[in-house]
């Protein structure tokens, strides 16, 4: 059964791993654009993007240059560190993501029963954590599930802070991706 599951995952990968380009982007450029659209502000840096894609800073530089040239992302000075930059998806980039090749797979997952979606998510998360540990890679996941996220207050006075960066986190960022994620035990 494990081999069958792996083969099914490989078949589904055809929606995000492909030769050549789709809508003018390579699969790696699509991956970068998707990530930047879903990442919190602390993870929208070239270094974090390199870690997520499993490539070098030089590789990310080439990918970013393409996205910049096409007007899909812009560089902005980081609010936290003036020496670094934040990569932000533009309105044009958001429009292109509406035609993302991976949306067909997402739509099939949305069509599943809620409990099946939850089981699939939890199972895939467990598998990916195991792979990251085996490969000694750092795991990327949703900020709100991270051990570094601290919540204080209630209602309108609810505040979030990242203990790793010692920075406040906006409530909407807690549902975004973070490349510095550390799971709760």
């Amino acid at each position: 059964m494990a081999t069958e599951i792996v083969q099914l995952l490989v078949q589904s990968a055809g929606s995000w791993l492909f030769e050549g380009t789709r809508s003018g982007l390579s699969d790696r450029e699509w991956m970068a654009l998707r990530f930047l659209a879903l990442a919190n502000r602390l993870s929208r840096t070239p270094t974090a993007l390199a870690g997520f894609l499993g490539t070098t800073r030089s590789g990310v530089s080439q990918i970013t240059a393409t996205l910049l040239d096409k007007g899909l992302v812009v560089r902005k000075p980081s609010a936290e560190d003036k020496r670094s930059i934040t990569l932000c998806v533009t309105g044009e980039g958001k429009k292109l993501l509406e035609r993302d090749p991976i949306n067909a797979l997402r739509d099939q997952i949305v069509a599943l029963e809620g409990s099946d979606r939850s089981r699939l998510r939890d199972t895939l998360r467990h598998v990916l954590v195991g792979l990251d540990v085996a490969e000694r890679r750092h795991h990327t996941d949703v900020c709100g599930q991270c051990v570094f996220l601290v919540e204080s207050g209630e209602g309108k006075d609810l505040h979030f802070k990242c203990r790793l960066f010692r920075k406040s986190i906006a409530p909407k960022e807690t549902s975004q991706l973070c490349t510095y994620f550390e799971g709760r035990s």
Side-chain angles (χ1 to χ4, degrees):
M1 183 183 292
T3 301
E4 181 182 0
I5 293 169
V6 169
Q7 288 306 315
L8 291 169
L9 287 169
V10 168
Q11 288 176 29
S12 73
S15 55
W16 70 87
L17 295 175
F18 48 85
E19 296 289 327
T21 63
R22 290 190 185 169
S23 298
L25 296 180
S26 71
D27 60 348
R28 297 290 265 187
E29 292 159 353
W30 273 111
M31 288 173 70
L33 187 61
R34 282 181 207 119
F35 172 77
L36 292 171
L38 297 172
N40 67 25
R41 76 181 189 287
L42 301 173
S43 294
R44 288 192 309 256
T45 65
T47 300
L49 181 57
F52 177 77
L53 294 175
T55 190
T56 63
R57 292 264 316 203
S58 172
V60 161
S61 229
Q62 293 172 352
I63 291 168
T64 302
T66 299
L67 297 176
L68 287 164
D69 289 346
K70 293 180 180 287
L72 303 174
V73 299
V74 293
R75 286 186 180 126
K76 292 184 178 178
S78 170
E80 281 84 24
D81 180 357
K82 299 299 180 200
R83 297 168 297 165
S84 65
I85 61 161
T86 300
L87 299 168
C88 300
V89 177
T90 64
E92 195 62 33
K94 291 175 184 174
K95 282 183 196 172
L96 185 62
L97 283 166
E98 292 172 8
R99 298 189 322 265
D100 186 343
I102 207 169
N103 290 349
L105 177 61
R106 182 205 57 210
D107 294 345
Q108 291 302 309
I109 293 169
V110 167
L112 296 173
E113 293 289 327
S115 60
D116 289 340
R117 276 195 312 272
S118 293
R119 259 193 318 280
L120 179 59
R121 178 202 57 212
D122 296 344
T123 301
L124 286 173
R125 181 174 280 143
H126 181 75
V127 169
L128 290 172
V129 167
L131 288 171
D132 288 341
V133 168
E135 296 290 323
R136 294 193 169 120
R137 290 184 302 217
H138 202 16
H139 181 66
T140 298
D141 212 324
V142 177
C143 176
Q145 302 298 316
C146 183
V147 71
F148 297 123
L149 186 70
V150 177
E151 185 179 316
S152 62
E154 293 180 12
K156 292 190 320 191
D157 294 325
L158 183 61
H159 300 284
F160 299 96
K161 185 172 184 173
C162 176
R163 288 185 300 156
L164 180 66
F165 284 98
R166 297 186 176 115
K167 305 275 182 201
S168 290
I169 301 291
K172 72 175 188 165
E173 289 183 293
T174 64
S175 63
Q176 295 176 323
L177 295 178
C178 181
T179 56
Y180 303 96
F181 179 86
E182 198 69 44
R184 296 180 179 143
S185 300

